[in-house]
Amino acid sequence: LALHHQEAHFLIAINESTTYWRPAGGGWVDEVVLGRGDEDSVDLVITPDGQPHVVRAGFSLMHSQRSVDGVWTEERVDWVSRPHRLRARVLGDAIHVVFRDGDDSLGFARFDGTEWTIRMQTVGPRLSHPSFAIAVDGTIAVIYSIGDRQVGLGTMTPSGEWSDLVLTTGVMRATDEHAVVIDRM
């Protein structure tokens, strides 16, 4: 689900196909998006110009975008080992993507409208379920599980400096879902 000017846009991934739904004339129009998408490895964002972008993970990191005339194109962003659990957000005109790569690393990708930059960060064994938020200054905060008993929080500044800490240790079982929000005060 993505919002643009208070209108909802949807992305539905079912049985190896991905469909984008957009409001049109009081109803809905559906369009098939290039490439396969699983529910936890595909995300939709709408840039300020109103154009939908779909980022997905599989054997590599992929990006699909819809042109003004309604044609979908797809590009391979980068080969990464095993991208998974992908989430995308927009800040300004840039698309930011955080994903799990392999079993112990986070991937950070940024698309400025013309070029992608990618950075990998090793976090810990059995990394899972990352969720992230972006501050107005571009700092990314990520919360994630490490194994069964730890929850970690990491931040990446716009200049690429990484810092992290373990929020919990020795819990009976870390949950599979996390959320992080940045206060804009």
Side-chain angles (χ1 to χ4, degrees), residues 115-184:
E115 182 178 14
W116 284 91
T117 55
I118 295 181
R119 166 141 188 231
M120 305 308 284
Q121 180 66 48
T122 301
V123 176
R126 295 179 42 218
L127 166 71
S128 64
H129 302 91
S131 180
F132 79 104
I134 306 171
V136 175
D137 70 353
T139 298
I140 297 173
V142 186
I143 191 166
Y144 48 86
S145 294
I146 304 169
D148 293 332
R149 297 181 177 229
Q150 294 180 331
V151 174
L153 174 67
T155 58
M156 177 149 328
T157 66
S159 64
E161 294 176 48
W162 173 258
S163 63
D164 60 348
L165 63 106
V166 174
L167 297 176
T168 62
T169 57
V171 294
M172 290 301 289
R173 171 131 169 75
T175 65
D176 291 340
E177 298 298 328
H178 314 290
V180 62
V181 176
I182 296 175
D183 189 345
R184 294 184 182 247

Side-chain angles (χ1 to χ4, degrees), residues 14-37:
I14 300 174
N15 296 332
E16 300 185 6
S17 69
T18 304
T19 307
Y20 165 65
W21 292 78
R22 64 181 171 82
W28 293 93
V29 173
D30 64 311
E31 301 172 3
V32 174
V33 179
L34 297 173
R36 173 187 173 192

Side-chain angles (χ1 to χ4, degrees), residues 68-148:
V68 175
D69 58 358
V71 176
W72 283 92
T73 59
E74 182 179 51
E75 67 176 324
R76 180 181 317 277
V77 175
D78 193 26
W79 287 99
V80 287
S81 65
R82 290 184 323 190
H84 196 56
R85 291 299 234 184
L86 176 144
R87 294 295 171 251
R89 306 282 185 270
V90 173
L91 178 63
D93 291 331
I95 298 171
H96 296 264
V97 181
V98 172
F99 56 93
R100 187 184 87 195
D101 184 48
D103 293 329
D104 65 354
S105 297
L106 288 171
F108 297 87
R110 182 180 183 277
F111 181 60
D112 64 8
T114 58
E115 182 178 14
W116 284 91
T117 55
I118 295 181
R119 166 141 188 231
M120 305 308 284
Q121 180 66 48
T122 301
V123 176
R126 295 179 42 218
L127 166 71
S128 64
H129 302 91
S131 180
F132 79 104
I134 306 171
V136 175
D137 70 353
T139 298
I140 297 173
V142 186
I143 191 166
Y144 48 86
S145 294
I146 304 169
D148 293 332

